[in-house]
């Protein structure tokens, strides 16, 4: 018998407008990841005159520009650990702050105060008969920000699924509750072209039966999954899953039966896709949502035998240094979980880490830019180091890096570059290595 009665919490039920008035004018406010509490954010933007550079900390945000709109820098200082489309203009203009950091480290840095957190704003499901709400489709660091903040505000969204794993909080852990139902943001499956298909097929060739997979979102991960339908007993231990993973599951290729830990379960820290994915994870014990300091911790990842991770890159230089997060000095996204999984997979028994990229980026005027480059673009950070990198794949093939000398790396990478750029890369390699060719 439960003692929970929602009536006991009526005193902390407020409107969104009321809730955001309690935010101190220069506080550090943390937003729940991706499926953020939209009603609270909208109320905060409407209440902006009351703030004096409130720091808004977040990773990926979907939706239009709001906090970062020009002029709002008087009221908000956006602190971005992973940028989406709505943050890039402010980053380019220098009106928002970028904070480099690994995804798995977020809960620890919040706990230790290096990522200060005075106020947390998260979205949760409706309470169950015992008063527990679920963080739903984004468990990652939500538990930690709620438990660290001096003021914890929840938007109770009746449309949010309840999920299994670490994402359960008791309603008594919040200071204010705002009831507002909002649709979840949906990401449609990307178009998969011939380049993605070729890359996917190369990747699939490296993935053995019984492997456990981490695959990000986007055309290339989905293309990889197109070629895995005939594999047996694959497992999922991945920062996130989306619609492509469900297709593969429905083909019977994913059983998790040979996982070293969490046998039979898909382990994720968030999901992002269409309503189909959100319905799939609702009240489904097959998918366990664990906090990101578990899912993305290299020490946890390495415990899976045959762990294979597939991630994307902006550019790779001839030494195998990977930039996955910026175009020169222009911060485009963030390190996210890439290095977490690259390191974890490299340490796993039989593990492989794969960096994928089309051989060229095509500018709006049709100009091709090689993504295999002699030097990273001026100002670009190294996301995955030349020591950590393992396999690099373009539509032209697979370049092995582990155990290879700088000369061999240059050779292997030139061979998978776009043919239009191979001469230029060969010339640069010849300048460095007498015996190139
Ligand atoms: N030079 C100039 N422009 C480039 C470029 C280069 N070397 N590489 C890409 N671009 C441009 C593209 O043309 C595209 O421009 P557009 O938006 O005008 O079409 C844009 O940059 C984005 O490139 P795209 O290849 O479409 O990116 P993506 O959406 O596939 O994302 C990453 C690729 C690398 C940014 C993304 O995977 C990422 O952020 N990775 C780091 C985090 C991570 O790996 N997390 C773990 C997995 S969840």
């Amino acid at each position: 018998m439960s003692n929970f009665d929602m009536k006991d919490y009526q005193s902390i039920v407020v409107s969104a407008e009321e809730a955001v008035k309690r935010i101190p004018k220069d506080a550090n406010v943390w937003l729940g990841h991706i499926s953020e509490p939209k009603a609270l954010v909208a109320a905060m933007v409407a209440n902006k005159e009351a703030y004096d550079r409130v720091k808004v900390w977040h990773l990926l945000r979907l939706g239009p520009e709001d906090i970062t709109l020009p002029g709002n820098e008087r009221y908000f200082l956006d602190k971005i650990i992973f940028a989406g489309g709505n943050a890039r203009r402010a980053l380019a203009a220098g009106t928002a702050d970028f904070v480099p950091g690994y995804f798995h480290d977020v809960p620890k840095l919040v706990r230790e105060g290096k990522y200060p957190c005075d106020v947390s704003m998260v979205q949760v499901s409706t309470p169950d008969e015992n008063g527990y709400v679920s963080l739903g489709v984004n468990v990652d660091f939500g538990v930690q920000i709620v438990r660290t903040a001096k003021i914890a505000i929840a938007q109770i969204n009746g449309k949010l699924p309840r999920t299994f794993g670490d994402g359960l909080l008791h309603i008594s852990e919040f200071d204010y509750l705002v009831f507002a139902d909002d649709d979840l943001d949906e990401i449609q499956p990307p178009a998969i072209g011939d380049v993605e298909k070729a890359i996917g097929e190369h990747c699939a060739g490296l993935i053995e039966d019984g492997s456990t997979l981490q695959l990000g979102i986007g055309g290339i991960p989905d293309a990889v999954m197109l070629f895995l339908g005939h594999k047996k007993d694959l497992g999922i231990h991945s920062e996130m899953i989306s619609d492509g993973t469900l297709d593969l599951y429905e083909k019977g290729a994913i059983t998790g039966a040979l996982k070293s830990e969490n046998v039979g379960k898909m382990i994720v820290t968030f999901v992002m896709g269409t309503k189909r994915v959100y319905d799939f994870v609702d009240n489904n014990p097959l998918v366990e949502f664990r906090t990101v300091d578990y899912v993305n911790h290299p020490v946890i990842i390495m415990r899976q035998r045959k762990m294979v991770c597939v991630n994307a890159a902006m550019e790779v230089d001839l030494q195998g240094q990977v930039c996955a997060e910026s175009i020169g000095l222009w911060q485009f996204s963030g390190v996210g979980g890439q290095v977490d999984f690259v390191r974890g997979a490299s340490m796993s028994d039989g593990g492989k880490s794969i960096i994928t990229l089309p051989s060229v980026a095509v500018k709006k005027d049709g100009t091709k830019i090689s993504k295999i480059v002699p030097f990273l673009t001026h100002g670009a950070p190294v996301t995955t180091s030349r020591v950590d990198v393992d396999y690099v794949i373009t539509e032209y093939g697979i370049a092995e890096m582990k155990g290879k000398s700088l000369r061999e790396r240059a050779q292997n990478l030139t061979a998978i570059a776009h043919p239009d750029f191979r001469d230029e890369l060969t010339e640069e390699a010849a300048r460095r290595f007498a015996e190139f060719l």
Side-chain angles (χ1 to χ4, degrees), residues 82-339:
F82 190 101
N86 50 16
R88 288 183 194 130
R89 202 163 54 85
L91 283 171
T95 53
D97 270 355
F98 183 76
V99 185
Y102 297 125
F103 195 11
H104 86 266
D105 246 353
V106 175
K108 179 170 185 283
L109 294 178
V110 167
R111 204 161 44 241
E112 292 176 350
K114 288 181 180 145
Y115 288 166
C117 173
D118 306 312
V119 178
S120 64
M121 302 209 309
V122 297
Q123 171 168 256
V124 296
S125 69
T126 43
D128 66 11
E129 62 276 19
N130 294 306
Y132 284 90
V133 292
S134 166
L135 283 164
V137 295
N138 281 88
V139 167
D140 30 49
F141 51 83
V143 174
Q144 193 62 57
I145 59 175
V146 169
R147 293 194 173 145
T148 302
K150 296 176 205 76
I151 303 175
I153 310 174
Q155 175 178 338
I156 298 183
N157 182 355
K159 296 186 180 179
L160 194 66
R162 293 184 72 82
T163 56
F164 278 77
D166 294 336
L168 292 172
L169 291 160
H170 195 264
I171 207 148
S172 60
E173 298 190 66
F174 294 95
D175 299 289
Y176 299 106
L177 305 172
V178 173
F179 282 84
D181 288 355
D182 272 324
D183 288 330
L184 270 60
D185 286 309
E186 291 189 51
I187 306 284
Q188 296 304 320
I192 301 177
D194 290 343
V195 169
E196 287 81 9
K197 280 189 189 151
I199 295 173
E201 198 165 5
H202 292 309
C203 287
L206 292 176
I207 297 172
E208 297 168 20
D209 290 343
S211 298
T212 291
L213 307 179
Q214 175 257 332
L215 295 158
I217 195 164
I220 293 175
D222 280 7
V224 176
M225 287 186 269
L226 280 183
F227 294 94
L228 295 178
H230 62 289
K231 303 275 177 186
K232 294 191 179 59
D233 293 320
L234 298 174
I236 297 292
H237 181 108
S238 187
E239 177 174 310
M240 55 92 58
I241 57 170
S242 58
D243 294 62
T245 316
L246 298 199
D247 294 336
L248 192 56
Y249 174 70
E250 282 165 8
K251 286 179 188 157
I254 299 171
T255 66
L258 298 180
K259 286 179 85 175
S260 319
E261 294 195 2
N262 302 306
V263 176
K265 300 271 185 193
M266 294 190 199
I267 301 294
V268 299
T269 201
F270 69 87
V271 295
M272 187 165 71
T274 65
K275 187 167 180 303
R276 177 179 169 222
V277 184
Y278 304 141
D279 289 345
F280 181 79
V281 299
D282 188 20
N283 206 24
N284 184 352
L286 173 67
V287 187
E288 228 173 77
F289 286 70
R290 307 291 303 269
T291 53
V292 71
D293 48 356
Y294 177 84
V295 178
N296 278 38
H297 202 295
V299 168
I300 301 295
I301 297 165
M302 69 173 267
R303 291 188 197 154
Q304 293 291 344
R305 273 181 62 251
K306 287 195 193 175
M307 181 74 212
V308 181
C309 68
V310 181
N311 289 295
M314 283 296 192
E315 54 183 10
V316 177
D317 76 8
L318 283 180
Q319 307 185 53
Q321 303 191 100
V322 177
C323 171
E325 56 185 291
S326 79
I327 300 170
L329 277 171
W330 182 43
Q331 192 68 42
F332 188 85
S333 55
V335 59
Q338 179 166 122
V339 178

